[in-house]
Amino acid sequence: MSTYETATASTALSGSGVVLQVEDSAPLPASPGVAEGTVNRATDEDLQIAVNGLWAAGAEAIAVNGQRISASSAIRTAGSAVLVDLRPLSPPYRIVALGDGAAIEQAVQGEATGEYLSEISSRFGIVLSWETSEDLSVPARAPAALREASATPPDEAGDPADGTDTLGSGATDADTPPTDTDAEYGATDKETP
């Protein structure tokens, strides 16, 4: 059960690790006639790259702003909000990665992820900070509904070799009249009845 729990992130974990904090830039100087300067925002892509880099560097468990990341987690944008598994997050983004914190940070910094993070910091003013700790925790991921599929018994599936469809209705291509779309694109694989 331990492998399953780890893969699905269904148990809370604690231990040593590293925290990577990603923050939006400070407001840039305002243009003439504009009251406030632009703020460059950390994006879902920035967080995806950071999280993937932490996994590649050996992180054993990861959470972003308290939302546990698993193999099926999604980090994306909806409007101007960054979402983790459909939950909106607000900056600063605190990414907790359990494992050997110093080794994880060093591995991330020495790879393409580190180059990317350095680039968004220098070009766009995204603020990054690292902190190792011996006392970190990541929550369990909320349980998901399990779904399963089952095979259709062979006697109900039809036989594609004899022209019956795979849903067992008995219809064949010869039984189906051509559509306007078929004629428009020159489909000739169907016979008219």
Side-chain angles (χ1 to χ4, degrees):
M1 191 65 142
S2 176
T3 303
Y4 169 77
E5 290 171 341
T6 301
T8 61
S10 62
T11 58
L13 298 173
S14 61
S16 63
V18 66
V19 177
L20 169 59
Q21 188 157 298
V22 181
E23 298 184 56
D24 296 340
S25 73
L28 303 174
S31 303
V34 178
E36 293 183 14
T38 302
V39 173
N40 288 321
R41 307 244 179 243
T43 67
D44 60 328
E45 183 178 6
D46 300 335
L47 297 181
Q48 290 168 5
I49 289 170
V51 165
N52 287 335
L54 290 164
W55 283 128
E60 298 168 14
I62 298 176
V64 179
N65 284 16
Q67 295 298 315
R68 182 73 176 271
I69 304 295
S70 73
S72 62
S73 291
I75 301 173
R76 62 185 194 91
T77 297
S80 62
V82 173
L83 309 176
V84 170
D85 292 333
L86 304 178
R87 290 181 178 81
L89 306 180
S90 299
Y93 303 105
R94 186 173 190 265
I95 307 171
V96 175
L98 298 184
D100 182 340
I104 291 171
E105 180 181 351
Q106 183 178 10
V108 168
Q109 296 286 13
E111 296 294 330
T113 299
E115 292 176 27
Y116 177 84
L117 294 173
S118 178
E119 182 73 15
I120 64 170
S121 180
S122 63
R123 285 187 73 194
F124 303 109
I126 301 298
V127 180
L128 305 169
S129 61
W130 292 89
E131 172 191 341
T132 57
S133 175
E134 295 298 316
D135 188 28
L136 294 172
S137 62
V138 293
R141 185 169 185 222
L146 297 177
R147 294 178 256 162
E148 64 181 59
S150 59
T152 303
D155 59 325
E156 295 177 22
D159 185 359
D162 70 6
T164 60
D165 70 8
T166 59
L167 297 179
S169 69
T172 66
D173 285 344
D175 297 331
T176 308
T179 65
D180 291 337
T181 306
D182 292 333
E184 180 180 337
Y185 292 105
T188 59
D189 61 338
K190 294 186 179 181
E191 299 173 19
T192 49

